[in-house]
Structures are given as structure tokens and as C-alpha cells.
Short mmCIF file of all heavy atoms in Angstrom, two decimals:
data_model
loop_
_atom_site.label_atom_id
_atom_site.label_comp_id
_atom_site.label_asym_id
_atom_site.label_seq_id
_atom_site.Cartn_x
_atom_site.Cartn_y
_atom_site.Cartn_z
N MET A 329 30.57 192.14 5.24
CA MET A 329 31.24 191.65 6.32
C MET A 329 32.47 190.94 5.85
O MET A 329 32.41 190.26 4.73
CB MET A 329 30.32 190.77 7.13
CG MET A 329 29.30 191.47 7.92
SD MET A 329 28.51 190.38 9.14
CE MET A 329 27.32 191.50 9.70
N GLY A 330 33.52 190.81 6.65
CA GLY A 330 34.74 190.17 6.34
C GLY A 330 34.58 188.66 6.43
O GLY A 330 33.67 188.14 7.08
N GLU A 331 35.42 187.96 5.67
CA GLU A 331 35.37 186.52 5.75
C GLU A 331 36.21 185.98 6.90
O GLU A 331 37.30 186.40 7.14
CB GLU A 331 35.93 185.97 4.43
CG GLU A 331 35.88 184.47 4.38
CD GLU A 331 36.49 183.94 3.05
OE1 GLU A 331 36.44 184.74 2.08
OE2 GLU A 331 36.79 182.74 3.04
N VAL A 332 35.59 185.11 7.71
CA VAL A 332 36.31 184.49 8.79
C VAL A 332 36.76 183.11 8.36
O VAL A 332 35.98 182.34 7.81
CB VAL A 332 35.41 184.38 10.06
CG1 VAL A 332 36.09 183.61 11.06
CG2 VAL A 332 34.86 185.62 10.54
N ILE A 333 38.08 182.82 8.52
CA ILE A 333 38.60 181.51 8.07
C ILE A 333 39.13 180.77 9.23
O ILE A 333 39.43 179.58 9.12
CB ILE A 333 39.74 181.74 7.05
CG1 ILE A 333 40.84 182.57 7.61
CG2 ILE A 333 39.07 182.31 5.73
CD1 ILE A 333 42.13 182.64 6.83
N LYS A 334 39.09 181.30 10.42
CA LYS A 334 39.58 180.64 11.60
C LYS A 334 38.68 180.99 12.80
O LYS A 334 38.52 182.15 12.96
CB LYS A 334 41.06 180.97 11.88
CG LYS A 334 41.68 180.25 13.02
CD LYS A 334 43.14 180.80 13.17
CE LYS A 334 43.68 180.09 14.41
NZ LYS A 334 45.09 180.49 14.74
N LEU A 335 38.47 180.02 13.63
CA LEU A 335 37.76 180.22 14.89
C LEU A 335 38.90 180.36 15.91
O LEU A 335 39.70 179.45 16.13
CB LEU A 335 36.84 179.11 15.29
CG LEU A 335 35.60 179.02 14.47
CD1 LEU A 335 34.78 177.79 14.85
CD2 LEU A 335 34.74 180.17 14.67
N ASN A 336 38.97 181.48 16.58
CA ASN A 336 40.00 181.73 17.61
C ASN A 336 39.39 181.18 18.97
O ASN A 336 38.33 181.57 19.32
CB ASN A 336 40.32 183.19 17.73
CG ASN A 336 41.10 183.71 16.57
OD1 ASN A 336 41.89 182.92 16.04
ND2 ASN A 336 40.83 184.93 16.18
N ALA A 337 40.14 180.38 19.60
CA ALA A 337 39.63 179.83 20.94
C ALA A 337 40.73 179.81 21.93
O ALA A 337 41.95 179.82 21.62
CB ALA A 337 39.21 178.37 20.65
N ALA A 338 40.31 179.77 23.13
CA ALA A 338 41.31 179.65 24.29
C ALA A 338 40.45 179.04 25.45
O ALA A 338 39.24 179.15 25.47
CB ALA A 338 41.75 181.08 24.79
N LEU A 339 41.21 178.47 26.40
CA LEU A 339 40.53 177.89 27.53
C LEU A 339 39.91 178.92 28.39
O LEU A 339 38.85 178.65 29.00
CB LEU A 339 41.57 177.08 28.31
CG LEU A 339 42.05 175.75 27.64
CD1 LEU A 339 43.10 175.02 28.49
CD2 LEU A 339 40.89 174.82 27.34
N ASP A 340 40.43 180.11 28.49
CA ASP A 340 39.98 181.20 29.36
C ASP A 340 39.28 182.21 28.50
O ASP A 340 39.77 182.85 27.63
CB ASP A 340 41.15 181.84 30.07
CG ASP A 340 40.75 182.92 31.06
OD1 ASP A 340 39.62 183.29 31.09
OD2 ASP A 340 41.69 183.32 31.78
N PRO A 341 37.99 182.40 28.79
CA PRO A 341 37.16 183.38 28.02
C PRO A 341 37.69 184.77 28.09
O PRO A 341 37.60 185.49 27.15
CB PRO A 341 35.75 183.32 28.71
CG PRO A 341 35.71 182.05 29.49
CD PRO A 341 37.10 181.73 29.82
N ASP A 342 38.33 185.09 29.19
CA ASP A 342 38.99 186.46 29.32
C ASP A 342 40.08 186.61 28.25
O ASP A 342 40.27 187.75 27.81
CB ASP A 342 39.49 186.74 30.71
CG ASP A 342 38.33 186.90 31.69
OD1 ASP A 342 37.31 187.27 31.31
OD2 ASP A 342 38.58 186.64 32.89
N VAL A 343 40.85 185.58 27.89
CA VAL A 343 41.80 185.70 26.84
C VAL A 343 41.15 185.87 25.57
O VAL A 343 41.66 186.83 24.75
CB VAL A 343 42.68 184.37 26.84
CG1 VAL A 343 43.63 184.36 25.66
CG2 VAL A 343 43.43 184.19 28.17
N VAL A 344 40.03 185.26 25.24
CA VAL A 344 39.41 185.48 23.93
C VAL A 344 38.99 186.91 23.85
O VAL A 344 39.15 187.61 22.78
CB VAL A 344 38.15 184.53 23.79
CG1 VAL A 344 37.36 184.90 22.57
CG2 VAL A 344 38.61 183.09 23.80
N LEU A 345 38.37 187.46 24.95
CA LEU A 345 37.84 188.88 24.93
C LEU A 345 39.03 189.87 24.85
O LEU A 345 38.96 190.85 24.17
CB LEU A 345 37.06 189.18 26.21
CG LEU A 345 35.77 188.31 26.34
CD1 LEU A 345 35.18 188.48 27.62
CD2 LEU A 345 34.74 188.71 25.27
N GLU A 346 40.15 189.63 25.56
CA GLU A 346 41.23 190.48 25.50
C GLU A 346 41.85 190.55 24.09
O GLU A 346 42.17 191.56 23.62
CB GLU A 346 42.35 190.04 26.47
CG GLU A 346 43.42 190.98 26.71
CD GLU A 346 43.05 192.34 27.19
OE1 GLU A 346 42.13 192.38 28.15
OE2 GLU A 346 43.64 193.39 26.85
N GLU A 347 41.98 189.40 23.44
CA GLU A 347 42.51 189.33 22.03
C GLU A 347 41.62 190.00 21.07
O GLU A 347 42.02 190.42 20.03
CB GLU A 347 42.78 187.90 21.67
CG GLU A 347 43.96 187.30 22.33
CD GLU A 347 44.23 185.81 22.00
OE1 GLU A 347 43.49 185.26 21.13
OE2 GLU A 347 45.23 185.20 22.60
N ALA A 348 40.35 190.08 21.36
CA ALA A 348 39.39 190.69 20.47
C ALA A 348 39.25 192.24 20.58
O ALA A 348 38.78 192.98 19.67
CB ALA A 348 37.94 190.18 20.67
N LYS A 349 39.88 192.69 21.67
CA LYS A 349 39.89 194.25 21.89
C LYS A 349 40.39 194.93 20.72
O LYS A 349 41.46 194.63 20.14
CB LYS A 349 40.73 194.56 23.12
CG LYS A 349 39.88 194.82 24.37
CD LYS A 349 40.89 195.26 25.39
CE LYS A 349 40.05 195.65 26.70
NZ LYS A 349 40.94 195.96 27.80
N GLY A 350 39.63 196.03 20.31
CA GLY A 350 40.16 196.89 19.23
C GLY A 350 40.07 196.28 17.79
O GLY A 350 40.44 196.95 16.92
N GLN A 351 39.48 195.13 17.70
CA GLN A 351 39.41 194.47 16.39
C GLN A 351 38.11 194.68 15.61
O GLN A 351 37.99 194.35 14.50
CB GLN A 351 39.69 192.96 16.54
CG GLN A 351 41.01 192.61 17.20
CD GLN A 351 42.22 193.08 16.27
OE1 GLN A 351 42.17 192.82 15.12
NE2 GLN A 351 43.14 193.72 16.86
N TYR A 352 36.99 195.10 16.32
CA TYR A 352 35.71 195.03 15.74
C TYR A 352 34.99 196.35 15.71
O TYR A 352 35.21 197.20 16.60
CB TYR A 352 34.84 193.97 16.51
CG TYR A 352 35.46 192.64 16.38
CD1 TYR A 352 36.19 192.14 17.32
CD2 TYR A 352 35.19 191.81 15.16
CE1 TYR A 352 36.80 190.86 17.25
CE2 TYR A 352 35.74 190.60 15.08
CZ TYR A 352 36.58 190.13 16.09
OH TYR A 352 37.17 188.89 15.96
N GLN A 353 34.11 196.62 14.79
CA GLN A 353 33.30 197.75 14.63
C GLN A 353 32.11 197.74 15.61
O GLN A 353 31.75 198.72 16.23
CB GLN A 353 32.82 197.92 13.27
CG GLN A 353 32.01 199.10 12.89
CD GLN A 353 31.73 199.29 11.48
OE1 GLN A 353 32.42 198.68 10.60
NE2 GLN A 353 30.67 199.95 11.14
N ASN A 354 31.48 196.53 15.63
CA ASN A 354 30.38 196.35 16.55
C ASN A 354 30.36 194.80 16.84
O ASN A 354 30.80 194.02 16.14
CB ASN A 354 29.00 196.76 15.98
CG ASN A 354 28.82 196.37 14.53
OD1 ASN A 354 29.12 195.30 14.16
ND2 ASN A 354 28.19 197.35 13.82
N VAL A 355 29.78 194.49 18.09
CA VAL A 355 29.84 193.05 18.43
C VAL A 355 28.61 192.62 19.26
O VAL A 355 27.86 193.48 19.75
CB VAL A 355 31.10 192.89 19.46
CG1 VAL A 355 32.36 193.06 18.75
CG2 VAL A 355 31.00 193.59 20.74
N PHE A 356 28.38 191.40 19.30
CA PHE A 356 27.51 190.79 20.33
C PHE A 356 28.19 189.51 20.79
O PHE A 356 28.93 188.84 20.07
CB PHE A 356 26.04 190.55 19.75
CG PHE A 356 25.99 189.38 18.73
CD1 PHE A 356 25.64 188.13 19.17
CD2 PHE A 356 26.20 189.67 17.39
CE1 PHE A 356 25.51 187.10 18.25
CE2 PHE A 356 26.07 188.60 16.45
CZ PHE A 356 25.71 187.29 16.87
N ILE A 357 28.02 189.27 22.10
CA ILE A 357 28.66 188.14 22.75
C ILE A 357 27.62 187.26 23.33
O ILE A 357 26.68 187.69 23.94
CB ILE A 357 29.52 188.69 23.89
CG1 ILE A 357 30.58 189.66 23.40
CG2 ILE A 357 30.12 187.53 24.71
CD1 ILE A 357 31.33 190.43 24.45
N ILE A 358 27.75 185.94 23.04
CA ILE A 358 26.82 184.91 23.57
C ILE A 358 27.78 184.04 24.52
O ILE A 358 28.75 183.51 24.08
CB ILE A 358 26.19 184.13 22.57
CG1 ILE A 358 25.39 185.00 21.59
CG2 ILE A 358 25.31 183.02 23.13
CD1 ILE A 358 24.86 184.24 20.42
N GLY A 359 27.36 183.85 25.72
CA GLY A 359 28.07 182.99 26.63
C GLY A 359 27.32 182.59 27.84
O GLY A 359 26.18 183.04 28.06
N TYR A 360 27.89 181.64 28.64
CA TYR A 360 27.33 181.30 29.88
C TYR A 360 28.04 181.99 31.04
O TYR A 360 29.30 181.94 31.03
CB TYR A 360 27.30 179.79 30.00
CG TYR A 360 26.46 179.13 29.05
CD1 TYR A 360 26.81 178.60 27.84
CD2 TYR A 360 25.08 178.94 29.26
CE1 TYR A 360 25.96 178.05 26.90
CE2 TYR A 360 24.12 178.35 28.42
CZ TYR A 360 24.63 177.94 27.17
OH TYR A 360 23.80 177.27 26.34
N ASP A 361 27.29 182.51 32.01
CA ASP A 361 27.87 183.13 33.07
C ASP A 361 28.38 182.09 34.12
O ASP A 361 28.17 180.92 33.89
CB ASP A 361 27.05 184.23 33.69
CG ASP A 361 25.72 183.62 34.29
OD1 ASP A 361 25.61 182.41 34.52
OD2 ASP A 361 24.87 184.51 34.59
N HIS A 362 28.88 182.49 35.27
CA HIS A 362 29.43 181.68 36.27
C HIS A 362 28.32 180.75 36.88
O HIS A 362 28.60 179.83 37.57
CB HIS A 362 30.26 182.35 37.30
CG HIS A 362 31.49 182.92 36.71
ND1 HIS A 362 32.55 182.14 36.39
CD2 HIS A 362 31.94 184.13 36.51
CE1 HIS A 362 33.49 182.84 35.87
NE2 HIS A 362 33.17 184.14 35.95
N ASP A 363 27.05 181.20 36.75
CA ASP A 363 25.96 180.44 37.30
C ASP A 363 25.41 179.54 36.30
O ASP A 363 24.33 178.85 36.55
CB ASP A 363 24.78 181.36 37.79
CG ASP A 363 25.32 182.23 38.98
OD1 ASP A 363 25.99 181.70 39.84
OD2 ASP A 363 24.88 183.39 39.10
N GLY A 364 25.93 179.39 35.07
CA GLY A 364 25.46 178.60 33.95
C GLY A 364 24.26 179.06 33.22
O GLY A 364 23.67 178.41 32.44
N LEU A 365 24.01 180.40 33.45
CA LEU A 365 22.89 181.09 32.65
C LEU A 365 23.34 181.68 31.41
O LEU A 365 24.40 182.33 31.40
CB LEU A 365 22.28 182.14 33.59
CG LEU A 365 21.71 181.57 34.85
CD1 LEU A 365 21.21 182.81 35.80
CD2 LEU A 365 20.54 180.64 34.62
N LEU A 366 22.59 181.54 30.34
CA LEU A 366 22.93 182.18 29.04
C LEU A 366 22.91 183.63 29.22
O LEU A 366 21.92 184.26 29.78
CB LEU A 366 21.91 181.73 28.01
CG LEU A 366 22.19 182.13 26.56
CD1 LEU A 366 23.55 181.50 26.07
CD2 LEU A 366 21.06 181.71 25.72
N ASP A 367 23.91 184.40 28.71
CA ASP A 367 23.97 185.75 28.78
C ASP A 367 24.45 186.32 27.40
O ASP A 367 25.32 185.79 26.78
CB ASP A 367 25.05 186.12 29.86
CG ASP A 367 25.10 187.71 30.20
OD1 ASP A 367 24.12 188.34 29.83
OD2 ASP A 367 26.08 188.15 30.78
N ILE A 368 23.65 187.28 26.93
CA ILE A 368 24.00 187.93 25.65
C ILE A 368 24.05 189.33 25.85
O ILE A 368 23.39 190.02 26.42
CB ILE A 368 22.76 187.63 24.64
CG1 ILE A 368 22.65 186.12 24.50
CG2 ILE A 368 23.09 188.26 23.33
CD1 ILE A 368 21.40 185.60 23.77
N ARG A 369 25.16 189.90 25.20
CA ARG A 369 25.48 191.37 25.27
C ARG A 369 25.82 191.83 23.87
O ARG A 369 26.38 191.06 23.15
CB ARG A 369 26.61 191.61 26.20
CG ARG A 369 26.24 191.19 27.66
CD ARG A 369 27.44 191.32 28.57
NE ARG A 369 27.03 190.77 29.88
CZ ARG A 369 27.17 191.30 30.97
NH1 ARG A 369 27.79 192.47 31.06
NH2 ARG A 369 26.90 190.71 32.14
N ALA A 370 25.56 193.10 23.56
CA ALA A 370 25.81 193.72 22.32
C ALA A 370 26.21 195.13 22.38
O ALA A 370 25.82 195.83 23.38
CB ALA A 370 24.71 193.46 21.46
N SER A 371 27.01 195.63 21.44
CA SER A 371 27.28 197.02 21.36
C SER A 371 26.04 197.77 20.96
O SER A 371 25.07 197.15 20.39
CB SER A 371 28.42 197.34 20.40
OG SER A 371 28.09 196.73 19.18
N LEU A 372 25.85 199.07 21.26
CA LEU A 372 24.61 199.73 21.06
C LEU A 372 24.09 199.82 19.59
O LEU A 372 23.00 199.95 19.30
CB LEU A 372 24.82 201.20 21.62
CG LEU A 372 24.91 201.34 23.07
CD1 LEU A 372 25.12 202.74 23.45
CD2 LEU A 372 23.58 200.76 23.81
N ASP A 373 25.03 199.68 18.71
CA ASP A 373 24.65 199.80 17.26
C ASP A 373 24.23 198.41 16.65
O ASP A 373 23.94 198.38 15.43
CB ASP A 373 25.78 200.39 16.41
CG ASP A 373 27.15 199.69 16.66
OD1 ASP A 373 27.29 199.06 17.70
OD2 ASP A 373 28.09 200.04 16.00
N PHE A 374 24.05 197.45 17.51
CA PHE A 374 23.59 196.16 17.15
C PHE A 374 22.09 196.00 17.70
O PHE A 374 21.87 195.74 18.82
CB PHE A 374 24.35 195.06 17.79
CG PHE A 374 25.08 194.16 16.72
CD1 PHE A 374 26.47 193.94 16.88
CD2 PHE A 374 24.45 193.59 15.64
CE1 PHE A 374 27.14 193.18 15.98
CE2 PHE A 374 25.17 192.84 14.73
CZ PHE A 374 26.46 192.60 14.89
N ASP A 375 21.08 196.22 16.85
CA ASP A 375 19.71 195.97 17.28
C ASP A 375 19.43 194.46 17.18
O ASP A 375 20.18 193.70 16.69
CB ASP A 375 18.69 196.79 16.52
CG ASP A 375 18.69 196.58 15.02
OD1 ASP A 375 19.33 195.53 14.56
OD2 ASP A 375 18.07 197.37 14.33
N CYS A 376 18.26 194.11 17.60
CA CYS A 376 17.88 192.64 17.57
C CYS A 376 17.96 192.02 16.21
O CYS A 376 18.36 190.98 16.08
CB CYS A 376 16.48 192.46 18.25
SG CYS A 376 16.48 192.72 20.01
N LYS A 377 17.44 192.78 15.24
CA LYS A 377 17.49 192.28 13.92
C LYS A 377 18.91 191.97 13.45
O LYS A 377 19.23 191.04 12.70
CB LYS A 377 16.78 193.25 12.90
CG LYS A 377 15.24 193.31 13.10
CD LYS A 377 14.66 194.42 12.25
CE LYS A 377 13.21 194.66 12.59
NZ LYS A 377 12.63 195.59 11.85
N SER A 378 19.82 192.98 13.76
CA SER A 378 21.24 192.80 13.30
C SER A 378 21.85 191.59 14.01
O SER A 378 22.65 190.92 13.43
CB SER A 378 21.95 194.06 13.61
OG SER A 378 21.51 195.21 12.96
N VAL A 379 21.52 191.39 15.32
CA VAL A 379 22.07 190.22 15.98
C VAL A 379 21.66 188.95 15.35
O VAL A 379 22.45 188.07 15.06
CB VAL A 379 21.68 190.27 17.42
CG1 VAL A 379 22.05 188.97 18.11
CG2 VAL A 379 22.37 191.46 18.22
N VAL A 380 20.34 188.88 15.03
CA VAL A 380 19.80 187.65 14.37
C VAL A 380 20.47 187.44 13.04
O VAL A 380 20.85 186.33 12.66
CB VAL A 380 18.27 187.72 14.33
CG1 VAL A 380 17.72 186.63 13.45
CG2 VAL A 380 17.62 187.58 15.73
N PHE A 381 20.51 188.42 12.25
CA PHE A 381 21.15 188.39 10.89
C PHE A 381 22.60 187.88 11.03
O PHE A 381 22.93 187.05 10.29
CB PHE A 381 21.11 189.71 10.21
CG PHE A 381 21.69 189.66 8.84
CD1 PHE A 381 21.02 189.06 7.70
CD2 PHE A 381 22.95 190.30 8.57
CE1 PHE A 381 21.55 189.02 6.47
CE2 PHE A 381 23.52 190.19 7.28
CZ PHE A 381 22.78 189.68 6.28
N ALA A 382 23.33 188.50 11.88
CA ALA A 382 24.77 188.12 12.03
C ALA A 382 24.94 186.67 12.52
O ALA A 382 25.75 185.90 12.00
CB ALA A 382 25.50 189.09 12.92
N PHE A 383 24.11 186.26 13.48
CA PHE A 383 24.12 184.96 13.95
C PHE A 383 23.76 183.93 12.88
O PHE A 383 24.33 182.90 12.71
CB PHE A 383 23.20 184.79 15.19
CG PHE A 383 23.27 183.46 15.67
CD1 PHE A 383 24.33 183.04 16.54
CD2 PHE A 383 22.30 182.50 15.49
CE1 PHE A 383 24.38 181.80 17.07
CE2 PHE A 383 22.39 181.17 15.99
CZ PHE A 383 23.43 180.80 16.77
N GLU A 384 22.73 184.24 12.09
CA GLU A 384 22.35 183.38 10.96
C GLU A 384 23.43 183.23 9.93
O GLU A 384 23.72 182.09 9.41
CB GLU A 384 21.01 183.76 10.35
CG GLU A 384 19.80 183.60 11.32
CD GLU A 384 19.55 182.09 11.61
OE1 GLU A 384 19.90 181.18 10.80
OE2 GLU A 384 19.11 181.82 12.76
N GLN A 385 24.12 184.35 9.63
CA GLN A 385 25.36 184.35 8.63
C GLN A 385 26.39 183.44 9.28
O GLN A 385 26.91 182.57 8.58
CB GLN A 385 25.81 185.69 8.44
CG GLN A 385 25.07 186.47 7.42
CD GLN A 385 25.88 187.69 7.05
OE1 GLN A 385 26.24 188.47 7.85
NE2 GLN A 385 26.03 187.89 5.67
N PHE A 386 26.68 183.56 10.56
CA PHE A 386 27.72 182.74 11.18
C PHE A 386 27.35 181.30 11.16
O PHE A 386 28.07 180.44 10.78
CB PHE A 386 27.94 183.21 12.61
CG PHE A 386 28.78 182.23 13.41
CD1 PHE A 386 30.13 182.16 13.12
CD2 PHE A 386 28.15 181.38 14.28
CE1 PHE A 386 30.88 181.29 13.93
CE2 PHE A 386 28.97 180.48 14.98
CZ PHE A 386 30.25 180.38 14.74
N LYS A 387 25.95 181.02 11.43
CA LYS A 387 25.59 179.58 11.52
C LYS A 387 25.69 178.98 10.10
O LYS A 387 26.16 177.90 10.00
CB LYS A 387 24.12 179.63 12.07
CG LYS A 387 23.58 178.19 12.19
CD LYS A 387 22.27 178.17 12.93
CE LYS A 387 21.16 178.66 12.06
NZ LYS A 387 19.79 178.40 12.55
N PHE A 388 25.25 179.68 9.07
CA PHE A 388 25.34 179.24 7.74
C PHE A 388 26.75 178.86 7.33
O PHE A 388 27.03 177.83 6.87
CB PHE A 388 24.69 180.23 6.75
CG PHE A 388 24.81 179.77 5.36
CD1 PHE A 388 23.82 178.99 4.75
CD2 PHE A 388 25.83 180.25 4.50
CE1 PHE A 388 23.97 178.50 3.47
CE2 PHE A 388 25.93 179.92 3.20
CZ PHE A 388 25.02 179.09 2.69
N ASN A 389 27.68 179.83 7.65
CA ASN A 389 29.06 179.65 7.25
C ASN A 389 29.69 178.46 8.06
O ASN A 389 30.38 177.65 7.49
CB ASN A 389 29.84 180.87 7.51
CG ASN A 389 29.57 181.93 6.51
OD1 ASN A 389 28.94 181.72 5.49
ND2 ASN A 389 29.80 183.23 6.93
N LEU A 390 29.26 178.32 9.31
CA LEU A 390 29.83 177.24 10.11
C LEU A 390 29.34 175.90 9.56
O LEU A 390 30.09 174.92 9.42
CB LEU A 390 29.30 177.38 11.58
CG LEU A 390 29.75 176.34 12.53
CD1 LEU A 390 31.30 176.49 12.75
CD2 LEU A 390 29.06 176.52 13.92
N MET A 391 28.06 175.89 9.27
CA MET A 391 27.52 174.52 8.71
C MET A 391 28.07 174.21 7.36
O MET A 391 28.07 173.04 6.90
CB MET A 391 25.98 174.58 8.70
CG MET A 391 25.42 174.77 10.14
SD MET A 391 25.78 173.54 11.27
CE MET A 391 24.98 172.16 10.66
N ASN A 392 28.44 175.26 6.64
CA ASN A 392 28.97 175.05 5.35
C ASN A 392 30.48 174.68 5.34
O ASN A 392 31.10 174.45 4.26
CB ASN A 392 28.81 176.45 4.49
CG ASN A 392 28.93 176.28 3.06
OD1 ASN A 392 28.45 175.29 2.39
ND2 ASN A 392 29.55 177.19 2.45
N GLY A 393 31.09 174.70 6.49
CA GLY A 393 32.48 174.31 6.61
C GLY A 393 33.43 175.46 6.33
O GLY A 393 34.57 175.20 5.91
N ASP A 394 33.01 176.70 6.39
CA ASP A 394 33.86 177.82 6.08
C ASP A 394 34.86 178.19 7.05
O ASP A 394 35.71 178.96 6.83
CB ASP A 394 32.96 179.07 5.72
CG ASP A 394 32.17 178.83 4.38
OD1 ASP A 394 32.47 177.95 3.61
OD2 ASP A 394 31.19 179.66 4.24
N TYR A 395 34.77 177.61 8.26
CA TYR A 395 35.69 178.00 9.31
C TYR A 395 36.59 176.75 9.60
O TYR A 395 36.20 175.62 9.42
CB TYR A 395 34.92 178.32 10.63
CG TYR A 395 33.95 179.40 10.46
CD1 TYR A 395 32.59 179.25 10.75
CD2 TYR A 395 34.39 180.73 10.11
CE1 TYR A 395 31.76 180.26 10.56
CE2 TYR A 395 33.46 181.78 9.98
CZ TYR A 395 32.13 181.56 10.19
OH TYR A 395 31.29 182.57 10.00
N THR A 396 37.79 177.06 10.08
CA THR A 396 38.71 175.96 10.38
C THR A 396 39.17 176.14 11.83
O THR A 396 39.02 177.16 12.43
CB THR A 396 40.01 176.00 9.50
OG1 THR A 396 40.70 177.27 9.78
CG2 THR A 396 39.56 176.02 7.99
N ASP A 397 39.71 175.11 12.36
CA ASP A 397 40.16 175.05 13.71
C ASP A 397 41.77 175.34 13.72
O ASP A 397 42.41 175.35 14.68
CB ASP A 397 40.04 173.69 14.45
CG ASP A 397 38.49 173.47 14.68
OD1 ASP A 397 37.79 174.51 14.88
OD2 ASP A 397 38.08 172.37 14.74
N GLU A 398 42.32 175.63 12.56
CA GLU A 398 43.81 175.76 12.47
C GLU A 398 44.15 177.10 12.87
O GLU A 398 43.54 178.09 12.72
CB GLU A 398 44.27 175.49 11.05
CG GLU A 398 43.84 174.13 10.59
CD GLU A 398 44.18 173.95 9.03
OE1 GLU A 398 44.58 174.93 8.43
OE2 GLU A 398 43.88 172.85 8.65
#
């Protein structure tokens, strides 16, 4: 997996999704819907084990300070 050095953020979630278009081989999205309920979606090639593995890698890197807000 590639190294992420920056967290891309925007006030509008649609902007984040639009900017991500065409950039990824497979994805999973975690967010809150308009009713405040947690909603998780993934591309078909991401099974549950792969989602957990990717999330744990992200969490480890985040806690390790590998991402910046710049």
C-alpha cells in the first residue's frame, strides 16, 4: 500500500468524494448519514478482513503521527 502523508479534508463530504474519484483501486467509506447513523460502504473486492486490516493500518499510522494536516 502507498504511504499517505496528508489527510485531505473539506467541509462538504461530496467534495472529498469527488476529489477521490479515479484515484483508488478499491475503497471503503465510513461516515455518518443525514440521520446521524454510522454507514459503511466498500467496493466489492474489499471483504470484511480486508476492511479491518486497512483500518488497523490507518489507525496505527495515524496514532504514530504519519499523517499531516498540511
Side-chain angles (χ1 to χ4, degrees):
M329 289 193 182
E331 181 179 339
V332 177
I333 57 171
K334 180 181 177 186
L335 287 176
N336 292 323
L339 292 176
D340 184 347
D342 289 337
V343 172
V344 175
L345 294 171
E346 189 63 38
E347 289 180 0
K349 256 185 177 176
Q351 300 295 315
Y352 298 95
Q353 181 176 339
N354 45 40
V355 298
F356 71 94
I357 300 168
I358 301 173
Y360 290 96
D361 66 15
H362 292 291
D363 294 325
L365 301 173
L366 186 64
D367 188 18
I368 300 169
R369 299 172 186 231
S371 52
L372 290 176
D373 45 353
F374 246 131
D375 60 10
C376 289
K377 292 176 188 175
S378 298
V379 168
V380 170
F381 180 75
F383 183 77
E384 290 297 328
Q385 278 192 309
F386 169 75
K387 186 172 76 171
F388 177 82
N389 292 339
L390 182 67
M391 298 303 290
N392 197 40
D394 293 344
Y395 304 119
T396 66
D397 292 333
E398 300 171 358

